[in-house]
Structures are given as structure tokens and as C-alpha cells.
Amino acid sequence: MVTEEIEELRTSILAQITEADNSSELEQLRVAVLGKKGSLTVMLRTLGKVPAAERAVVGRAANQLRDELEAAFAIRRNTLVDAELDAQIAAGAIDITLPGRQRLIGSQHLINQIRDEICDIFRGIGYTVVSGPEVETDYYNFTALNTPADHPSRGLQDTLYIRDRSGSHSTIASESEVMLRTQTSGVQVRTMEMQKPPIYVLVPGRVFRRDAPDPTHTPQFTQIEGLVVDKGITFADLKGTMDYLCKQVFGLDRQTRFRTHFFPFTEPSAEVDVSCGICGGTGCRSCKGTGWLEILGCGMVDPNVFGFVGIDPEEYSGFAFGIGMERTACLKYNVPDLRMLLEGDVRFLRQF
Ligand code: DAH
């Protein structure tokens, strides 16, 4: 072996080190050159065969080359490993500067918020919350509420009947006819059948009518019915309770007034208005200049209704009321169109 050979080896290996473009390729090269059976190692072992005169020179050159290559491998290895690490980080990167993804947490719909609010108001004064079926028979929805088959007040509510495919039905509705309930009032009858007075119940629930949707009507809406039956209940109790309800829902500064009305199941009956929250009662566009907003129906339970459930009207008296949640929500938050509550537009709903 001569110094020229060493020089050649040096040039060739240094070039290969530079060309290696990943750390494992470089490692293979290092083993091939400096490993136990590596080319330089083998060469160093054959130094003994070099003539004595040249040995010192060649030996020094060969050892120098080994040191130089070891250093070159180390430097190149650092560069490659750094680059590989950078690439790895970039590929699997978690960019901690990105804003987090917020999960949308659902919230209660305004209609249900108002419903629960009213239920809480009445629970607070000793009422129990009960429920009844949405698919109801004519008997509970009308007849036992003092609304016989030929009674004109049935025409006030457009009923959605559930009939067999032939659509056949008698012209005069029978008590067993099935329908989607038009009011929660039927639960009054169901409650009085099951429980003896004193009765203080609240009945939230969905009701259905054959109405075309418009700003003040939807074919499905939510009512809360109230029923009280006890000894010595008077119209004063009804007035006080309705006034309390309106003040709790709309604010203590609101006034209420009662207007005579007709419902088949109450006598006397009344509609309750609450003073307009926008003008304070002086009259504005919201209240159509009257200063009042119509909010609910109520009355003293008709003795005929007691007759259907076997309660003695000489011993007991009571009152009942019905209030629409959608209408209440619209009046409370000045929503101009009831249908907005049902369209499911989260930009609207999120406000509440
Ligand atoms: N059921 C009536 C309606 O749908 C509301 C109502 C009025 C319920 C007077 C009552 C009541 O219990 O006493 O419009």
C-alpha cells in the first residue's frame, strides 16, 4: 500500500459521505469503511506487509485518514439526523398556535325554557306537574269538557282526526273517535278521574290543530294547562293566581286585566291580558294601540265537567287556565313571528 492509494481512498470516501442523504445510508457506509471488516480497517491490518522503510509514513497517513473519516462521519451524521428530526416534527406537527376547536354544547329551546320556567313558578306554590296523551279520544278532548258532539264550540278548534284509510266516520263525532288533542284541557278530566280533591296540577304538553302556519298560528304548539279543585275556591283565587303568573313571567311591574269570554268547560270564563311591556300600557304598534297583550284563557270549572268525573260541585269548586308557550315566548322576547321558533335557525335560537 502506498500513500497515493490512501489519498485515493480519502477522496472517494469523503465524496460518498457527502452524497449519503440519510442517516441509515451513512451508517452503512461507515460500517463498510470503518467497521471490523471495513475497507480501511482491513487496510490498516495489512500494514505489516508494507516494507519497513515506508511503514512509518504509510501508517501515519492511514491512521490520520481513519481519524479524519471518523470526524467526517460524525459531522455528516449530525446534519442528517437534525434534518430528519425536523422533517419528522413538521410531518406530525401539532401547531400549538392554532385556536382550539370549540365543541357546540346544545342548549334548551326557548319554548322548553319558558315551559320549565312556568312549571317552576307553579311548583313553588305547591302544584304538581302531570302529563297526558297527545293522541286523545273525543271523550277527553271534548265531551267530558262539556262540549257535546253537536256543540258549536267544536267549530272553534280545527281538529286533526285519526281515522281508518276509508276515511269513513259518522257525521256526528262519536266519543271513541281518536284525534290529535287540540288542547291540554283533556288532562283535567283524566286527573280528576284518578285523584280526589284537593287538586293543584299543571299540565305542559303539545297540542295540534288544522291551522295553516302564519305569524300567529302553527299546526302544532305547546300549552300549559292548570287545574285547581278544592273547597272554597273562588274567582278571586283565579285572579290572584293569574296575576302572579303574569308578574313572575313578564315582570313585577306588569298589570293584568280580565275580559269576559266563553269556554265550554269553565263558567264564568275570561281571557287575561297583560300590560304591554314596550309602551308600558299607553299603546304602541306591538299592542296594536291598546296597551294590552292577550295572553291566556281561564275560568271557574263548569259544574257539568265535575259531573263527568263524579266530583260534587256543591262541595268543591275550582278554576282552570290554559296558556300557549310559543305566544308567551314571542310576547316576552318581542319575536314578531311565531314560526321563527320552529325554523331551527341557530342564529335566532342562540339569542335566548
Ligand atoms: N283550552 C283552551 C284553548 O285551547 C285554553 C283554556 C282556556 C284552558 C280556559 C283552560 C281554560 O283550562 O279554563 O284555547
Side-chain angles (χ1 to χ4, degrees), residues 157 182-183 185 188 209 223 225-226 263 265-266 297-299 320-322:
Q157 296 180 354
T182 58
Q183 50 190 357
S185 307
Q188 289 186 26
R209 290 183 196 175
Q223 272 189 338
E225 188 85 16
F263 295 107
F265 32 88
T266 45
C298 63
F321 58 94

Side-chain angles (χ1 to χ4, degrees), residues 40-300:
L40 191 62
T41 315
V42 171
M43 185 190 285
L44 285 168
R45 257 187 236 131
T46 61
L47 270 182
K49 290 173 193 158
V50 175
E54 294 166 38
R55 203 175 294 157
V57 182
V58 175
R60 200 183 312 125
N63 279 315
Q64 234 171 30
L65 174 60
R66 192 190 52 202
D67 292 347
E68 195 185 335
L69 290 180
E70 270 171 1
F73 272 114
I75 290 168
R76 182 73 183 142
R77 185 174 178 282
N78 278 346
T79 313
L80 289 173
V81 166
D82 277 356
E84 281 162 8
L85 205 61
D86 282 349
Q88 219 172 21
I89 289 169
I94 301 167
D95 182 351
I96 56 163
T97 66
L98 274 177
R101 268 181 227 154
Q102 206 179 358
R103 262 172 208 255
L104 281 180
I105 301 172
S107 63
Q108 219 183 13
H109 193 282
L110 181 59
I111 296 173
N112 294 341
Q113 283 179 38
I114 299 269
R115 179 200 62 198
D116 289 357
E117 191 182 319
I118 294 179
C119 286
D120 279 349
I121 291 168
F122 279 92
R123 278 197 193 96
I125 53 172
Y127 285 58
T128 306
V129 175
V130 298
S131 62
E134 290 177 352
V135 177
E136 189 54 288
T137 59
D138 181 274
Y139 178 76
Y140 288 105
N141 196 72
F142 288 127
T143 306
L145 287 166
N146 198 32
T147 322
D150 55 356
H151 197 286
S153 75
R154 284 187 184 226
L156 299 175
Q157 296 180 354
D158 282 310
T159 309
L160 290 157
Y161 288 95
I162 295 176
R163 284 169 177 157
D164 64 23
R165 280 204 207 174
S166 67
S168 62
H169 57 91
S170 56
T171 40
I172 293 181
S174 81
E175 288 179 1
S176 60
E177 186 136 40
V178 176
M179 61 190 64
L180 295 178
R181 65 177 175 192
T182 58
Q183 50 190 357
T184 43
S185 307
V187 188
Q188 289 186 26
V189 181
R190 291 181 174 276
T191 304
M192 288 187 283
E193 278 179 350
M194 286 187 308
Q195 129 184 27
K196 294 260 156 290
I199 293 170
Y200 291 81
V201 292
L202 205 65
V203 191
R206 290 193 295 178
V207 300
F208 308 84
R209 290 183 196 175
R210 209 163 42 111
D211 271 331
D214 69 25
T216 54
H217 296 87
T218 51
Q220 179 209 302
F221 58 102
T222 317
Q223 272 189 338
I224 290 188
E225 188 85 16
L227 173 69
V228 167
V229 184
D230 207 344
K231 286 182 177 156
I233 297 291
T234 68
F235 200 84
D237 297 310
L238 170 61
K239 276 192 92 170
T241 308
M242 296 303 97
D243 190 64
Y244 179 71
L245 164 61
C246 292
K247 286 188 162 65
Q248 290 298 309
V249 173
F250 295 102
L252 296 179
D253 56 327
R254 305 293 275 272
Q255 308 298 312
T256 50
R257 76 171 181 188
F258 286 63
R259 276 181 292 106
T260 52
H261 198 73
F262 171 79
F263 295 107
F265 32 88
T266 45
E267 186 58 38
S269 303
E271 275 193 330
V272 177
D273 297 341
V274 64
S275 58
C276 178
I278 292 184
C279 61
T282 53
C284 68
R285 228 169 38 152
S286 277
C287 56
K288 297 193 185 98
T290 64
W292 297 97
L293 304 162
E294 181 191 322
I295 182 77
L296 60 86
C298 63
M300 301 306 290

